[in-house]
Amino acid sequence: MLKNKIIRNLLTGLIFVTIAAGLVARFTLLTMSFEYDELFTAVTTDPTLSLGWIWVNWLVPDVHPPLYNVLLWLYNHCVPYGPEVWLRLPSALCGVGAVVCGWLLFPRYLGKTARLIFTAVLACHQFMILYSQQARAYAWVLLLAVPVTFMFLNMSRRVWHRKNISLKQWLWFGGLSLVLAWSHYFGTLLVGICYVLLFVQAWRYRRPLKM
């Protein structure tokens, strides 16, 4: 019994060390030269250009929703513009924030083991680390997608148990969904899937989606 407890504690400690390493790894490539897509971000967030000009000439014709570029344009008025590290720093912080949200907001009814595994995968997956060091909207989208997904699961569970969804839940879910949809078209896809599944579930259980 004691031996099993020691092994479990050692494994848990090892996972936490791995999570910490994954968080630190998000800050290791911030000074690399910009890649192709990042150059577009650098140009469209130039603080010396007016937001109106950037909006009309760059953001409206672009395939991606414009919110992240607008936020970076505002951010670039507060930090030195030009060095790669400053334009990538928000992504690294968003990547760390996504892991923290994954740990704090993970549904407790799914268990502690699932919570730990999810957080470890989120922290250490190579693509999560890589995209947290690019001056693009990917890490920002991940930061928003984690709570949106968890809120969807909680709301879906309430519908399944035939309970009403509170106004506070709808406001948080709706607000974050709107921000996510305006950040990237993959975010729009996730939001659309969540709403469709909620309505299908409500129809299946004959449960109105009301507060």
Side-chain angles (χ1 to χ4, degrees), residues 54-64 66:
I54 294 175
W55 183 275
V56 172
N57 292 277
W58 291 100
L59 298 184
V60 172
D62 184 35
V63 65
H64 299 289

Side-chain angles (χ1 to χ4, degrees), residues 93-99 101 137-148 180:
L93 296 177
C94 286
V96 172
V99 176
C101 285
Y138 310 129
W140 167 253
V141 169
L142 179 64
L143 175 62
L144 295 170
V146 169
V148 166
L180 180 56

Side-chain angles (χ1 to χ4, degrees), residues 9-205:
N9 290 337
L10 286 175
L11 289 176
T12 302
L14 180 61
I15 292 176
F16 276 115
V17 170
T18 305
I19 292 173
L23 296 179
V24 172
R26 283 162 164 77
F27 298 89
T28 57
L29 302 175
L30 298 183
T31 57
M32 287 182 60
S33 298
F34 285 134
E35 296 182 355
Y36 176 75
D37 286 348
E38 292 179 297
L39 291 174
F40 179 82
T41 302
V43 171
T44 57
T45 59
D46 187 345
T48 63
L49 301 175
S50 70
L51 182 58
W53 189 91
I54 294 175
W55 183 275
V56 172
N57 292 277
W58 291 100
L59 298 184
V60 172
D62 184 35
V63 65
H64 299 289
L67 179 59
Y68 187 71
N69 293 70
V70 173
L71 294 177
L72 273 189
W73 180 82
L74 295 172
Y75 162 82
N76 281 335
H77 284 79
C78 304
V79 300
Y81 175 72
E84 291 88 345
V85 62
W86 288 108
L87 201 59
R88 287 175 172 152
L89 183 59
S91 290
L93 296 177
C94 286
V96 172
V99 176
V100 174
C101 285
W103 176 259
L104 295 178
L105 303 180
F106 190 85
R108 297 298 187 267
Y109 56 82
L110 295 179
K112 295 181 179 179
T113 301
R115 179 192 186 192
L116 189 60
I117 293 174
F118 175 83
T119 306
V121 172
L122 196 61
C124 301
H125 195 285
Q126 58 179 343
F127 289 117
M128 303 298 179
I129 295 174
L130 176 63
Y131 289 135
S132 292
Q133 299 176 88
Q134 290 196 349
R136 298 293 288 166
Y138 310 129
W140 167 253
V141 169
L142 179 64
L143 175 62
L144 295 170
V146 169
V148 166
T149 301
F150 289 159
M151 282 188 283
F152 161 73
L153 292 176
N154 290 331
M155 294 167 73
S156 177
R157 189 166 184 259
R158 292 189 68 84
V159 173
W160 184 62
H161 286 289
R162 292 174 169 77
K163 295 181 179 179
N164 291 340
I165 300 173
S166 68
L167 175 61
K168 182 179 179 180
Q169 286 177 304
W170 273 120
L171 290 176
W172 274 106
F173 185 66
L176 287 178
S177 296
L178 184 62
V179 175
L180 180 56
W182 271 86
S183 299
H184 199 278
Y185 54 78
F186 282 159
T188 306
L189 178 62
L190 175 62
V191 169
I193 291 174
C194 289
Y195 275 99
V196 168
L197 290 178
L198 277 177
F199 279 104
V200 169
Q201 189 178 19
W203 175 82
R204 169 65 177 80
Y205 291 104

